Amino acid sequence: MTTTTAPKTYRVKSFGCQMNVYDGDRMGELLTEQGLTAAAEGDDADLVVLNTCHIREKAAEKVYSDIGRLKREDGSAPLIAVAGCVAQAEGEEIMKRAPSVKMVVGPQAYHRLPDMLARANNGERVTDTDMPAETKFDALPKRRRSGTSAFLTVQEGCDKFCTYCVVPYTRGAEISRPYGDLIEEAKRLVDAGAREITLLGQNVNAWTGENAKGQTVGLEGLIREMDALPDLARIRYTTSHPNDMAQGLIDAHGDVGKLMPYLHLPVQSGSDRILRLMNRSHSVESYLAVLDRVRAVRPDIAISGDFIVGFPGESEQDFADTLKIIDQVGYAAAFSFKYSPRPGTPAATMDEQISAEVMDERLKRLQALMIEKQVAFNAASVGKVTDVLVEKRGRQPGQWLGKSPWLQSVHFEGDFAVGDLVRVELVQAGPNSLAGKLI
Ligand code: 5AD
Ligand code: SF4
């Protein structure tokens, strides 16, 4: 067995969703605990972790080209680990095809990285795509660092099995992390400087747990407890499923001051026929009814969504129904994707797959309408006086960038520090940002 020099510096590159960003941060913390340091911007790292995403097209091909690009001019390469959902789905194949990869680690096994690293340092190639009974969270180091805006995974996995989606296979079954652990992690993040915490889960609003009094509570229970943390200013959560939008959570939007007026609630399609084929287990009507209930307690709430165009069998009429719901809801933002057949999912083998040309054309039309809606939403904000959370300096001297409660980017001038909440009047709107004036 060959012994390689142990890596001293690392870089974690995360792709895909916010949960991957969270996982990437946690892997970094684990490696730091092992005595490695994060490589400085622009420097080569001894160990590179590619934290991959499998949700859409060409995920695996992208990983192979990223691996190829890690080769340095002198022909040497860093120690490479592939993590994330592509690792989970295609770990064995990666080990076969890419000899430079020394570690493959799935999203539920990355707490074992230190042990894997020790073995890789001994010249072994190690794969761990287990979904162990023990939770990785217990084995991760305590949180010590945080930016102004932090992520906190509270729920993971999915039992819904939408027919297009790989998540139930790559992330596994739904689990809710325990209440006490989450409150502790939230406190540590706040102590480390977080002013905003975004609670993460594939079905975050399905989170459930037992509070300090032994009562079973839903996500609103956590949110209400976090509302009491003095130095925390803002709470957000994502992503929610329409069927898990319990009244308790909706009520929290009406009376929890720190819960921001923003709800990411994907509908995917505006056609009941397609929603059935997708196994979404909700209809257009039941989705709109949820929004009505939320708007009843929080009329100014911003709604964002996800849309898939070109799902197998989607007719021009089905697509027109999707445009109709976008028009009707008045989304503040949306993410839209061309349907991508994912190996192993039921939709991948359905009849009537839609051609690339039709998907391209539909995506363009959908995005054009979305921009119109986003512009209208931003324009309607002009004149509002609101708090902006300062995130970083802007490009112009004296300029700062921050976020409105409705997750809009706002730029403004003045003398601040990152993490300040400043009162501004929104004075001008563009499609992607607003200008604010200090009050
Ligand atoms: N093809 C295209 N988009 C997908 N999404 C999930 N799976 C697929 C797929 N196979 C989109 C959904 C989901 C978002 C995270 O990614 O819109 O809400
Ligand atoms: Fe995927 Fe559907 Fe679960 Fe969301 S709810 S993670 S789209 S299976």
Side-chain angles (χ1 to χ4, degrees):
M1 211 180 277
T2 48
T3 306
T4 51
T5 358
K8 293 191 181 64
T9 61
Y10 71 86
R11 171 167 295 122
V12 181
K13 289 183 161 186
S14 290
F15 304 90
C17 65
Q18 292 156 321
M19 192 174 291
N20 248 19
V21 175
Y22 175 90
D23 290 341
D25 287 351
R26 306 303 318 260
M27 285 189 257
E29 290 164 3
L30 266 174
L31 294 170
T32 304
E33 205 185 46
Q34 296 300 302
L36 282 80
T37 50
E41 190 78 31
D43 282 2
D44 284 337
D46 303 334
L47 164 66
V48 175
V49 181
L50 297 173
N51 190 21
T52 61
C53 169
H54 202 229
I55 199 100
R56 280 175 295 273
E57 211 93 55
K58 302 202 181 87
E61 288 89 294
K62 185 171 171 359
V63 175
Y64 292 113
S65 79
D66 286 343
I67 293 168
R69 258 187 284 133
L70 287 173
K71 203 171 244 169
R72 303 180 187 123
E73 268 170 24
D74 64 1
S76 68
L79 183 63
I80 301 172
V82 179
C85 290
V86 179
Q88 188 66 36
E90 308 202 13
E92 266 173 48
E93 181 69 20
I94 294 171
M95 276 298 191
K96 267 192 231 139
R97 265 182 62 182
S100 59
V101 172
K102 304 300 178 205
M103 293 185 274
V104 162
V105 61
Q108 303 308 353
Y110 67 75
H111 55 300
R112 298 174 177 166
L113 258 182
D115 175 55
M116 295 177 77
L117 183 60
R119 287 165 60 193
N121 287 341
N122 271 326
E124 257 184 87
R125 297 178 76 212
V126 207
T127 300
D128 191 343
T129 50
D130 283 358
M131 295 208 179
E134 90 264 5
T135 146
K136 65 188 173 218
F137 297 104
D138 291 341
L140 296 172
K142 304 267 182 245
R143 311 300 307 265
R144 290 201 182 85
R145 281 184 318 155
S146 176
T148 296
S149 186
F151 292 134
L152 172 50
T153 294
V154 304
Q155 180 281 339
E156 197 173 356
C158 184
D159 298 337
K160 300 234 167 17
F161 291 93
C162 297
T163 53
Y164 51 81
C165 186
V166 284
V167 165
Y169 312 95
T170 58
R171 292 263 168 187
E174 275 183 24
I175 61 119
S176 291
R177 293 180 63 195
Y179 184 92
D181 294 5
L182 294 170
I183 298 300
E184 194 203 297
E185 192 168 325
K187 282 184 181 153
R188 284 184 181 273
L189 286 169
V190 173
D191 287 345
R195 306 243 38 224
E196 171 177 273
I197 293 183
T198 302
L199 307 175
L200 298 181
Q202 268 89 32
N203 275 300
V204 72
N205 56 343
W207 182 88
T208 172
E210 206 174 88
N211 70 11
K213 294 185 197 128
Q215 299 154 328
T216 300
V217 289
L219 192 66
E220 72 284 357
L222 262 188
I223 289 172
R224 287 181 188 280
E225 183 79 25
M226 285 171 54
D227 189 52
L229 298 177
D231 293 325
L232 184 64
R234 290 181 164 186
I235 305 167
R236 301 180 182 276
Y237 63 94
T238 195
T239 290
S240 297
H241 191 282
N243 290 2
D244 292 321
M245 225 41 227
Q247 192 57 43
L249 180 57
I250 294 177
D251 291 343
H253 275 287
D255 62 18
V256 176
K258 291 178 186 173
L259 181 58
M260 290 295 104
Y262 190 97
L263 176 62
H264 183 59
L265 198 67
V267 67
Q268 314 294 357
S269 166
S271 153
D272 282 337
R273 202 177 69 81
I274 295 297
L275 290 176
R276 266 195 303 278
L277 289 171
M278 288 177 164
N279 191 34
R280 286 290 295 178
S281 59
H282 62 76
S283 62
V284 170
E285 194 189 332
S286 68
Y287 174 83
L288 293 174
V290 171
L291 294 188
D292 284 346
R293 278 158 58 212
V294 181
R295 282 177 164 154
V297 299
R298 189 74 212 223
D300 70 334
I301 197 160
I303 307 295
S304 72
D306 289 342
F307 295 90
I308 296 177
V309 302
F311 185 83
E314 185 186 70
S315 66
E316 189 51 38
Q317 182 57 50
D318 294 320
F319 177 65
D321 290 342
T322 298
L323 296 181
K324 189 173 146 209
I325 199 174
I326 293 176
D327 193 45
Q328 212 175 337
V329 169
Y331 287 97
F335 304 91
S336 47
F337 313 102
K338 289 184 266 186
Y339 167 70
S340 160
R342 303 285 74 210
T345 59
T349 50
M350 282 181 185
D351 293 340
E352 287 187 72
Q353 300 280 329
I354 305 296
S355 73
E357 295 74 42
V358 170
M359 282 204 238
D360 281 337
E361 189 262 341
R362 287 184 185 163
L363 187 71
K364 266 199 207 120
R365 277 157 67 197
L366 190 155
Q367 290 182 338
L369 176 63
M370 245 346 287
I371 294 206
E372 247 178 61
K373 294 288 154 190
Q374 207 168 307
V375 166
F377 183 86
N378 287 347
S381 306
V382 171
K384 283 187 183 169
V385 172
T386 187
D387 288 337
V388 171
L389 180 62
V390 181
E391 289 185 340
K392 57 182 178 199
R393 284 187 181 278
R395 254 180 263 147
Q396 323 292 345
Q399 191 188 52
W400 290 87
L401 301 178
K403 290 270 160 45
S404 79
W406 306 279
L407 211 57
Q408 296 150 303
S409 289
V410 181
H411 51 90
F412 45 93
E413 272 157 32
D415 193 11
F416 313 107
V418 169
D420 285 352
L421 265 187
V422 297
R423 198 96 187 127
V424 305
E425 181 183 346
L426 300 173
V427 290
Q428 211 187 351
N432 298 312
S433 68
L434 290 124
K437 207 172 128 227
L438 211 61
I439 296 288

